[in-house]
Amino acid sequence: MSKVWPTSLPDRDWQFKQKESVHDLLSRMTLAEKVGQMTQVEKNSISPEEVTEYAIGSVLSGGGGNPMPNMPQEWADMVHGFKEAARKTRLGIPLIYGVDAIHGHNNVVGATIFPHNIGLGATRDADLVEQIGRITATELVATGVRWTFAPCVAVPHDLRWGRTYEGYSEDTNLVAELGAACVRGLQNTHGAQAVLSCPKHYVGDGATTWGSGRSYDWIIEQWPAADHDWPIDQGISEVDEATLRAKHISPYIAAIEAGAMSIMVSYSSWDGAKLHAHKYLLTDVLKNEIGFHGFLVSDWMAIDQIDPDYYTCVVASINAGLDMIMVPFNFRRCVSTLTQAVENGDVPLERINDAVARILTVKFALGLFDEPSRNEHPISDIGAESHRQVAREAVRKSLVVLKNDDHTLPVPRNMKQILVAGQAADDIGLQCGGWTIEWMGKPGHSTPGTTLLTAIRGVVSPDTTIDYSPDGHFRGADEMAEIGLVVLSESPYAEGTGDRADLTLSAADVALIERVRPHCQQLVVILFSGRPLIITDHLEKFDAFIAAWLPGTEGQGIADVLFGDYPFTGRLAYSWPKRMNQIPLKGMAESGEDPLFPFGFGLA
Ligand code: BGC
Ligand code: BGC
């Protein structure tokens, strides 16, 4: 049986009283107020006045849904404005504001940005993940945000998927362990200042088949440069029920046991139906069988994919068990359609009452009804030095050394000359990856932090010369440097814009390596990426190779281990394929070859 409440929140007696309060409140609500609670609107599509008028229950910032200027104080003011608008409604039911804080409060300039989940998987450190959850909650609460769409507990099986880095591991147990730790960190240690977690995307988002996705035209309009072909993201999970349960549902059970009270539904399909219309998986399995008492929120415009007719989308999703609809744009259409559906008897009132009771129960559990008008955490908590120290520790522990010939690592800090090459060596945006300030992230100085190059400069002896060239042209360097350091990266992406058929190292990266190789005795390659890339044909040229994933703002964590202040401890949370035919995971066995590096590998 699952726990309904985070353990630090009030006792059974209190729970009973809240049940009474929910019941009482529900009996006084009009249909319009109930529909309002079930509607979550993106902040760019609604004003505080409209929140009051429609008694809206939740507002979100999508990826990059930032106030201008994008600063912590502006965030706090914006969120406060929406909450105050909800207080002005007839019943004053508090509004819950949601964001994607998936590696720290990552939309906010100045926040601490932690490694993406793929890096945390390599740390295998549940205590650390819990601590990161706690810090993320502190930074969220400093801006008044009490809900994050995290953790992603996908179990990715295909590295071509653009969301691989959002998953901790290809291994279910590791995902379940770290996902539950994140839930505890966000929710349990804060009492009245808990942040609601939202494990996502229920379920099978990581199990979709390459080629079962589609093309999305809206991408062309909003993000002209991005790939609008999403061959695997949001596709079809072709696994049998036993596999779905054992591999993909089980992390949700762990998360619910840890106290998760909201869950986001997946865009993907299983057994002939979109998850958003899947009554069996949403209601029969998750709510009735597993005993999930929290509420289900849809993904961004996801119900719209159920059917060309919006009325059908609303009816099918709510009747399947969806409790809150995430509406990026036209919330009036959502409100009027759901109201109509209830009036027509196509959505039973009991279903509406159940959905609203679930939402209100969670709002009570979080203490939102008693929340002070301004939260208690100071804005200076955002990006605080003590938080950055934990992010730095996470970076240290996430690095995986895959090759280290002739003791190249650790690098002595008193070398005469070190060559550093690659734009990624001095670029916070590339170091952070997607879901950083913008939805897809962006190269360049997007937020304060320490790049690897700055970190290295701070660590080496005063007599060491660091020569840096983004493109690896070391003119005049006819002498050999002792060490060459090439930093490679994927360009940032999010969701299906990162679906890539071929994960082979790019020609530009290979050229960079070729340019630097003749100028150094030993070559260390560091890769920033959201997944393993195919490096097999080039590995021979490297003396040492470090997978650094998407480490975030604290580049000193890399310097800490590179120069031997701390040991390398990270181990692969994903198998590292030798060739493309070993992707997806089942290709590994079918290929008859070993992976380049197996799951769990990592040199000390
Ligand atoms: C938004 C993201 C959202 C995505 C939908 C973007 O425009 O900024 O928050 O996740 O669209 O896939
Ligand atoms: C993504 C979710 C995210 C939501 C809100 C969607 O496009 O799939 O992971 O929580 O947008 O930004």
Side-chain angles (χ1 to χ4, degrees):
M1 202 34 209
S2 61
K3 265 186 248 142
V4 188
W5 315 95
T7 48
S8 70
L9 290 175
D11 58 16
R12 286 188 165 280
D13 217 31
W14 181 89
Q15 290 179 27
F16 179 74
K17 276 189 237 135
Q18 297 319 309
K19 248 196 188 137
E20 292 291 287
S21 312
V22 168
H23 185 75
D24 171 61
L25 201 48
L26 202 56
S27 69
R28 291 192 281 136
M29 289 171 79
T30 62
L31 178 60
E33 286 162 343
K34 291 175 183 175
V35 168
Q37 283 303 307
M38 294 172 68
T39 307
Q40 180 189 50
V41 191
E42 216 275 339
K43 67 103 182 161
N44 288 321
S45 304
I46 195 164
S47 68
E49 293 71 30
E50 288 164 330
V51 164
T52 313
E53 186 185 340
Y54 287 85
I56 293 297
S58 181
V59 170
L60 85 146
S61 278
N66 307 321
M68 292 294 272
N70 181 357
M71 299 296 284
Q73 190 59 55
E74 277 69 19
W75 270 88
D77 293 344
M78 169 181 79
V79 174
H80 181 69
F82 283 116
K83 286 183 172 179
E84 284 300 301
R87 283 176 197 260
K88 290 186 197 141
T89 55
R90 189 178 70 97
L91 295 169
I93 299 173
L95 173 140
I96 186 159
Y97 200 99
V99 303
D100 294 282
I102 68 170
H103 61 151
H105 196 353
N106 48 57
N107 289 303
V108 183
V109 172
T112 309
I113 307 290
F114 296 90
H116 268 297
N117 286 350
I118 191 169
L120 299 184
T123 72
R124 288 156 193 259
D125 188 338
D127 292 339
L128 178 64
V129 170
E130 184 169 336
Q131 206 184 346
I132 291 172
R134 209 175 305 137
I135 291 172
T136 303
T138 303
E139 297 204 9
L140 284 165
V141 170
T143 57
V145 176
R146 298 291 299 276
W147 190 13
T148 167
F149 310 123
C152 176
V153 293
V155 183
H157 79 125
D158 192 324
L159 300 173
R160 291 170 294 185
W161 188 34
R163 307 193 82 154
T164 301
Y165 66 81
E166 293 187 54
Y168 295 106
S169 174
E170 71 190 22
D171 177 68
T172 302
N173 295 334
L174 191 52
V175 171
E177 187 192 353
L178 300 184
C182 175
V183 169
R184 283 195 303 274
L186 290 166
Q187 291 186 187
N188 283 11
T189 42
H190 282 259
Q193 298 281 278
V195 165
L196 179 64
S197 68
C198 187
K200 67 188 188 185
H201 309 79
Y202 183 83
V203 63
D205 52 349
T208 56
T209 303
W210 182 263
S212 71
R214 42 175 269 222
S215 201
Y216 292 93
D217 292 345
W218 64 267
I219 284 278
I220 307 174
E221 289 151 32
Q222 275 186 49
W223 305 86
D227 202 333
H228 60 276
D229 249 349
W230 295 16
I232 185 164
D233 189 47
Q234 310 189 2
I236 304 169
S237 303
E238 292 167 308
V239 293
D240 61 22
E241 183 164 347
T243 309
L244 190 75
R245 283 177 178 263
K247 223 172 155 181
H248 303 280
I249 294 184
S250 59
Y252 289 90
I253 298 177
I256 292 166
E257 280 169 357
M261 297 186 296
S262 78
I263 288 177
M264 188 184 291
V265 180
S266 179
Y267 283 115
S268 54
S269 305
W270 182 75
D271 198 24
K274 284 270 169 198
L275 259 295
H276 281 78
H278 217 297
K279 186 164 188 198
Y280 173 68
L281 288 176
L282 302 189
T283 298
D284 300 350
V285 174
L286 185 60
K287 289 181 170 176
N288 296 342
E289 183 189 319
I290 297 172
F292 174 62
H293 299 294
F295 70 88
L296 288 174
V297 63
S298 76
D299 204 339
W300 178 278
M301 235 165 91
I303 68 163
D304 304 46
Q305 296 186 17
I306 294 172
D307 193 272
D309 171 43
Y310 191 66
Y311 186 85
T312 305
C313 297
V314 170
V315 170
S317 59
I318 302 296
N319 285 343
L322 185 70
D323 302 301
M324 187 185 278
I325 306 177
M326 184 189 284
V327 193
F329 309 112
N330 192 347
F331 76 89
R332 281 187 198 81
R333 180 178 69 148
C334 177
V335 164
S336 63
T337 308
L338 182 52
T339 308
Q340 192 64 60
V342 179
E343 284 168 358
N344 293 350
D346 288 329
V347 172
L349 194 56
E350 302 83 75
R351 181 70 270 279
I352 299 290
N353 287 340
D354 172 54
V356 176
R358 287 168 179 269
I359 294 165
L360 294 178
T361 300
V362 173
K363 288 185 171 181
F364 273 115
L366 274 174
L368 297 188
F369 284 86
D370 308 315
E371 197 179 31
S373 147
R374 277 285 187 168
N375 47 75
E376 284 146 16
H377 288 297
I379 218 83
S380 57
D381 276 348
I382 292 171
E385 188 47 38
S386 61
H387 297 175
R388 292 184 185 273
Q389 287 303 329
V390 175
R392 177 174 175 173
E393 176 188 347
V395 173
R396 284 199 292 266
K397 292 181 170 172
S398 69
L399 305 175
V400 183
V401 177
L402 295 169
K403 181 174 182 183
N404 186 15
D405 283 358
D406 303 323
H407 306 288
T408 306
L409 303 174
V411 175
R413 59 184 70 213
N414 56 359
M415 293 264 160
K416 233 173 77 215
Q417 187 192 18
I418 300 179
L419 305 181
V420 180
Q423 187 194 339
D426 196 25
D427 190 310
I428 279 290
L430 297 178
Q431 202 172 285
C432 290
W435 293 104
T436 309
I437 310 306
E438 301 273 334
W439 174 48
M440 280 192 283
K442 58 178 174 195
H445 185 72
S446 53
T447 192
T450 306
T451 66
L452 176 56
L453 182 67
T454 304
I456 292 173
R457 289 205 162 113
V459 169
V460 292
S461 99
D463 303 326
T464 304
T465 311
I466 304 281
D467 283 323
Y468 174 56
S469 164
D471 57 7
H473 284 113
F474 294 103
R475 270 176 289 272
D478 28 50
E479 267 169 280
M480 287 272 245
E482 292 143 294
I483 290 280
L485 200 69
V486 171
V487 186
L488 306 176
S489 78
E490 286 191 289
S491 359
Y493 51 83
E495 305 186 41
T497 67
D499 289 356
R500 254 176 78 190
D502 185 2
L503 299 178
T504 309
L505 211 55
S506 73
D509 285 344
V510 174
L512 181 65
I513 293 164
E514 302 289 355
R515 275 198 295 276
V516 179
R517 180 67 273 193
H519 293 294
C520 55
Q521 283 160 21
Q522 289 183 308
L523 177 69
V524 179
V525 176
I526 298 181
L527 175 63
F528 293 159
S529 65
R531 50 197 157 190
L533 300 182
I534 305 298
I535 52 150
T536 313
D537 295 343
H538 309 285
L539 191 60
E540 191 194 14
K541 294 165 220 153
F542 314 169
D543 296 286
F545 178 52
I546 304 170
W549 319 113
L550 298 167
T553 47
E554 305 316 304
Q556 295 110 319
I558 307 172
D560 285 343
V561 277
L562 196 56
F563 293 95
D565 287 340
Y566 289 84
F568 283 100
T569 56
R571 290 188 292 136
L572 289 181
Y574 289 83
S575 318
W576 197 294
K578 202 173 265 172
R579 287 173 240 291
M580 282 310 296
N581 70 348
Q582 293 184 322
I583 304 172
L585 211 44
K586 71 173 166 47
M588 202 72 81
E590 288 167 9
S591 75
E593 267 190 304
D594 289 335
L596 188 58
F597 305 108
F599 174 85
F601 184 80
L603 298 170

